[in-house]
Amino acid sequence: CLCCFQLYGYCYQDSNDIPDTLTTITELGSPLEMIQLLQTSWEDRFRICLSLVRLLHYLAHSPLGSVTLLDFRPRQFVIVDGELKVTDLDDASVEESSCTSNSDCFMEFPARNFTLPCSVEGRCQSMNEKRNLYNAYRFFFTYLLPHSAPSSLRPLLDKIVNATGNRNKHVICTKYLALELSPSPSVNSEFTQKCVKSANTQYRRVPEAFIPDENYRCWPSYHHKGCLLSVFDVNEAIEICDSYSQCKAFVLTNQTTWTGRQLVFFKMASNHIVPDPDKITYVKVTD
């Protein structure tokens, strides 16, 4: 499973103090800190949620059957190369709860409760999948998806978040969620759509040029000492620059994010411009 921590190797070692000791060698990941995640760009948080959806889909359709994580909390996950992976499978279970009636399939959470149907085989239908899905909603989706999301995607994201947390929509499955949250084609096309260009501001294009200084901080930014954001095109960069009173210029780089959006530095002045063949600078024209 690509959504789980990768195991590179293991060995058994016997000692006088601890017999049958198992040592594992796994890939290195960063602890998941929710406060830090909320300070990152929406695009990075979207990638984490997408990797979580892939994990949910795998757990619901694993070779062992539907698997639930009984201790589904942020501390059980790490970030590896910008994606979420589960590290602790000690509390994983493949047993669907047995039942004789629907009342036996009662699921209680701190904020909401659910009652699932009891199948003719005497098992609570999709209880493992529903438990994982609701825990993903209350620990991840509700914080990471809507916050500072692109306006064009908010209706879709609200639909996804409400569906995963709605007690009356327990029939939602992770396959549906994966399709809705997939970056291709619907989300990607909406996320990368062109923004409306401001008609009140003009910019002078300076090819093969860069502004090394004149930084200011903005949120969210890919650079902690400056304002580095992702855009679809020049029109969106212009709209962003117009929205900041201190922005007087911006620089298009040849770097892109994982979705293909271009990274742009926004600057508070253009007094010192230096040659750079890989960048294009746009300077706000003042009267």
Side-chain angles (χ1 to χ4, degrees):
C1 172
L2 296 177
C3 307
C4 302
F5 224 32
Q6 186 171 351
L7 178 67
Y8 289 128
Y10 63 91
C11 63
Y12 289 99
Q13 179 181 357
D14 291 333
S15 66
N16 295 329
D17 298 330
I18 306 176
D20 300 326
T21 300
L22 174 64
T23 302
T24 61
I25 301 93
T26 64
E27 63 183 325
L28 183 64
S30 302
L32 193 151
E33 299 290 344
M34 191 60 66
I35 294 179
Q36 292 180 2
L37 286 182
L38 291 174
Q39 297 173 349
T40 62
S41 69
W42 182 85
E43 195 172 1
D44 286 344
R45 285 182 274 119
F46 170 71
R47 185 180 185 183
I48 290 172
C49 289
L50 182 61
S51 60
L52 178 55
V53 168
R54 295 187 181 121
L55 171 62
L56 293 174
H57 186 266
Y58 177 83
L59 293 175
H61 305 88
S62 80
L64 299 176
S66 182
V67 180
T68 187
L69 302 180
L70 299 176
D71 191 12
F72 197 116
R73 285 181 286 182
R75 68 183 184 184
Q76 307 288 11
F77 299 86
V78 295
I79 303 296
V80 179
D81 296 330
E83 300 203 1
L84 193 73
K85 293 194 176 185
V86 63
T87 62
D88 190 353
L89 295 175
D90 290 346
D91 295 311
S93 174
V94 295
E95 293 295 329
E96 294 278 16
S97 299
S98 59
C99 59
T100 56
S101 65
N102 291 350
S103 60
D104 296 328
C105 301
F106 180 74
M107 300 175 62
E108 186 175 5
F109 293 94
R112 294 181 180 179
N113 301 322
F114 303 88
T115 299
L116 302 181
C118 179
S119 69
V120 294
E121 292 82 11
R123 296 289 178 179
C124 297
Q125 292 183 14
S126 304
M127 178 170 278
N128 287 346
E129 183 178 2
K130 181 59 183 179
R131 180 182 288 110
N132 290 338
L133 190 58
Y134 187 76
N135 281 327
Y137 157 79
R138 69 191 186 107
F139 287 120
F140 293 96
F141 296 151
T142 189
Y143 299 109
L144 300 182
L145 274 180
H147 187 53
S148 70
S151 57
S152 62
L153 287 181
R154 285 172 188 166
L156 175 61
L157 296 174
D158 288 343
K159 172 185 173 184
I160 291 173
V161 172
N162 290 336
T164 55
N166 193 321
R167 75 182 69 186
N168 296 321
K169 294 186 178 180
H170 59 261
V171 294
I172 182 174
C173 64
T174 52
K175 181 178 180 180
Y176 164 80
L177 183 60
L179 291 174
E180 287 282 37
L181 203 53
S182 171
S184 177
S186 60
V187 169
N188 194 52
S189 63
E190 292 185 63
F191 182 46
T192 58
Q193 68 179 349
K194 294 184 179 181
C195 294
V196 179
K197 182 178 179 179
S198 171
N200 301 322
T201 311
Q202 291 184 342
Y203 288 80
R204 176 169 56 91
R205 184 177 184 271
V206 185
E208 299 185 356
F210 179 62
I211 303 173
D213 302 310
E214 309 296 349
N215 291 314
Y216 67 89
R217 294 184 179 180
C218 67
W219 185 90
S221 174
Y222 287 91
H223 195 282
H224 68 283
K225 291 185 178 181
C227 187
L228 180 64
L229 304 175
S230 68
V231 303
F232 175 71
D233 62 1
V234 175
N235 288 341
E236 185 174 359
I238 289 175
E239 182 179 359
I240 292 174
C241 191
D242 285 350
S243 68
Y244 288 99
S245 59
Q246 64 267 54
C247 183
K248 305 301 180 185
F250 60 87
V251 181
L252 269 65
T253 72
N254 62 352
Q255 297 176 298
T256 59
T257 65
W258 69 282
T259 58
R261 287 168 61 86
Q262 193 170 10
L263 290 177
V264 175
F265 278 104
F266 293 88
K267 305 288 184 173
M268 61 190 304
S270 58
N271 299 324
H272 181 47
I273 300 178
V274 300
D276 191 322
D278 297 325
K279 296 179 178 62
I280 302 174
T281 293
Y282 285 80
V283 179
K284 186 179 291 187
V285 178
T286 58
D287 296 332

